[in-house]
Amino acid sequence: MAEIELKTAPADFRFPTTNQTRHCFTRYIEFHRCLAAKGENSGECERFAKYYRSLCPGEWVERWNEQRESGTFPGPL
Amino acid sequence: MGLLSCFRSTVLRKCSKGSSGMSRFLYTNNFQRNLISSGGNESYYGYFNRRSYTSLYMGTGTVGGITSARIRVPNVGCEGFMCSSHLSITQRNSRLIHSTSKIVPNSEIQNITTEMVKTPEVSRWMDQVIPTIAPCDAAEPWQLGFQDAATPIMQGIIDLHHDIFFFVIQIGVFVSWVLLRALWHFRSKMNPIPQRIVHGTTIEILWTIFPSVILMFIAIPSFALLYSMDDIVVDPAITIKAIGHQWYWTYEYSDYNNSDEQSLAFDSYMIPEDDLELGQLRLLEVDNRVVVPAKTHLRVIITSADVLHSWAVPSLGVKCDAVPGRLNQISTFIQREGVYYGQCSEICGTNHAFMPIVIEAVSTKDYGSWVSSQVN
């Protein structure tokens, strides 16, 4: 069995309010910007991936992935 | 004022509540009459188990008659410490409730209730000293006040309510006194010709300054508690996503993913009334519970997939709207292990009353076992 580590996305002072929609969106964009800058095989981007997976619902991530593949993602990647 | 009393001992408060509950049970004739007439039906077991009287009597040994009765309370879900022992063997999306008892014949129940009526005074005194602490947090039948607090925020809410209620009673009594006195002393029989009072500078100053001072005494602890709920400063250890659907909740634990597809996600449906087992609560039990570690900072992200819902658990003092397209965040810190019940609190359609929330707070080790069994 893999060891379970109690760790999640930290609190971000850019998003101090109850509304965390932009926090999830921003973490997702940060991950893909990191991929574009450092390449797909780099291990440094895994940290950002864990952040957006913790914050974003699965359905949102699935829809955003489809939009990225079809080129209609609205964010600044 | 309200916040400082947050740090009062919740165990002390709970002990006193348990004691009053016990004495209420023993001294009320209606309960004895109802228990004797109820025979072996479910409500007897449910009520009995929720108060955990059996374990207390068997433990002390002061009442020999009840000890020899050998009644066994069903091992149902609302006892958190029993459920935690099952967590390591729980399979994915399986029910966490295991009923291992058999139904006791009516004659034994009759004997038990008869023995309870004859409880000697020594045992009653012992019950006051060693009260029972109920491990299950759900509203009692016709409960009007707050449920037991499990978080510092809920403790603060209860204390703030008590503080404000003190002012409310005082102001209500004083204003009623002034009103009745005016009605009495200025009635037409005593004053045929009404007076023409134009102005009074002193009383104008008084009834402007005093309400302001009272409002300040109410507002300062209220604002302190309100802003302490926004504890963005503490980094949480766990993030749980609660997604409202018509008419169930979906929970996602995504801290342990290695890809976008692999996710610990499950739906939480209410157990229908026909499928309830002995001791389970009507309209409150679910098939898959939210398992969280106690004494750990949690982040719950609440959203909806269709219409507005509201994720509310009274014992934790949390209530947050689930809005489609928006992620609302609440932070909480559960201080004791147990099972806490809540319900959807925003009208969301026909089955709004049938989408409950059950949170089981366990130790960190048991939580790790549960996650390991779910993820792998």
Side-chain angles (χ1 to χ4, degrees), chain B residues 125-136:
Chain B
W125 177 80
M126 285 295 293
D127 296 336
Q128 301 294 323
V129 175
I130 310 174
T132 302
I133 300 174
C136 178

Side-chain angles (χ1 to χ4, degrees), chain B residues 155-207:
Chain B
Q155 190 62 50
I157 290 169
I158 293 173
D159 292 332
L160 179 67
H161 169 268
H162 293 341
D163 296 338
I164 293 181
F165 216 78
F166 171 75
F167 288 105
V168 166
I169 296 295
Q170 277 197 343
I171 293 169
V173 169
F174 175 68
V175 170
S176 302
W177 175 74
V178 169
L179 178 68
L180 295 176
R181 182 181 166 87
L183 290 177
W184 177 257
H185 285 282
F186 294 95
R187 65 187 193 277
S188 63
K189 184 181 292 185
M190 188 174 288
N191 299 275
I193 304 170
Q195 299 188 28
R196 299 177 62 90
I197 300 175
V198 176
H199 184 69
T201 303
T202 303
I203 196 168
E204 289 280 351
I205 293 172
L206 290 181
W207 69 35

Side-chain angles (χ1 to χ4, degrees), chain B residues 350-367:
Chain B
T350 302
N351 290 333
H352 159 67
F354 309 117
M355 47 188 298
I357 299 153
V358 183
I359 296 178
E360 184 172 349
V362 298
S363 64
T364 308
K365 186 178 179 182
D366 289 333
Y367 175 75

Side-chain angles (χ1 to χ4, degrees), chain A residues 8 18 20 52-54 56, chain B residues 239 241 254-255 260 327 329:
Chain A
T8 186
T18 299
Q20 297 289 303
Y52 84 77
R53 283 179 199 137
S54 292
C56 303
Chain B
T239 299
K241 283 165 274 182
S254 302
D255 298 330
D260 286 346
L327 300 178
Q329 169 187 280

